[in-house]
Amino acid sequence: MLSTPTLLAGFGFGLSLIVAIGAQNIYVLRQGLLKKHVLPVIAVCIISDALLIAAGVAGFGVLVDRVPWLVTFLRVFGSAFLLYYAYGAFQRVLKPEAMVAGGGGSGSLRAAMLGILGVTYLNPHVYLDTIVLMGSVANSHGDLKWTFGVGMMAASLVWFITLGFGSRLIQPFFAKPGAWRFLDSTIVIIMVTLAISILAPLAGVDGK
C-alpha cells in the first residue's frame, strides 16, 4: 500500500534526525572535502541506515530493550572509538598543513571503511535513533509503516549524497591550513562531547 503523504512524512521525519550533527555526518563531510573514497563511504551510510530502519520497522526495537548488556557494550566501545578518533583529529590540529582539500592525506580505502563502520555501528545513538525511535514512529502508522519506513530511507539516501558530494562546494575555503585546523578542532569537540554523552547513562547521569 502506497500513500504519498505518509511517504513524505517519513522523509521529513527521517531527515530531521539524520541531518543533526553527529560523528557519522562529520566523517562523511571530511571525506567529501578530501575527495577520498566518498562513494563507498556514503554507500555504507545509506545501506546501514536502510538495514537499521528496516529492522526497526520490523520490530527489532523490542530486542534492543530486552538486551541491556548489548547497549552497555556499545556505549563503552563506542565512546572509546570516538575518543580515539578525536585524538587523531587533535593530532591534525597540531599539523594542519599535512591536509589539503582534494589531495594529500594518507587515508586508504580500508582505513576509510573501518572509520565509517566504526562511527556507524559503534555508536549506540544510531540504534536508538533508527531501530528504536524511527521504528516506533513507523509502527504507529499501522499498515502504512513500511511506506513511512521507505520515506525515512529515502531521506538518508538524499542527505548522504548531498553531504558527501556537495561538500566540495565549500572546498576552496579549505585550501588554507587554518580552515582544516578549525574543522578538526570542531571534530575534537563534537567527538569528545558525544563520547561523554554516550557514557553518561552508565554513570547515572541522564542522557540521550
Side-chain angles (χ1 to χ4, degrees), residues 108-121:
S108 64
L109 175 60
R110 179 175 180 274
M113 291 296 94
L114 289 176
I116 191 59
L117 287 171
V119 297
T120 298
Y121 290 100

Side-chain angles (χ1 to χ4, degrees), residues 64-86:
V64 174
D65 289 335
R66 293 181 177 178
V67 188
W69 65 264
L70 179 59
V71 176
T72 299
F73 174 84
L74 289 170
R75 287 187 185 282
V76 173
F77 282 89
S79 62
F81 180 84
L82 292 177
L83 290 174
Y84 173 77
Y85 192 78

Side-chain angles (χ1 to χ4, degrees), residues 9 55 63 79 85 88 97 100 107 118 121 137 164 180 188 192 201:
L63 177 62
S79 62
Y85 192 78
E97 69 280 358
V100 179
Y121 290 100
V137 175
W180 282 104
V188 171
V192 172

Side-chain angles (χ1 to χ4, degrees), residues 7 10-11 13-14 18 53 57 134-135 138 148-156:
L7 187 69
F11 183 90
F13 179 71
I18 296 169
I53 290 171
V57 176
M134 288 183 172
F148 192 87
V150 170
M152 293 188 291
M153 294 177 193
S156 173

Side-chain angles (χ1 to χ4, degrees), residues 2 34 55 70 92-93 181 202:
L2 179 63
L34 290 172
L70 179 59
R92 294 193 298 268
V93 169
R181 176 178 281 120
L202 298 182

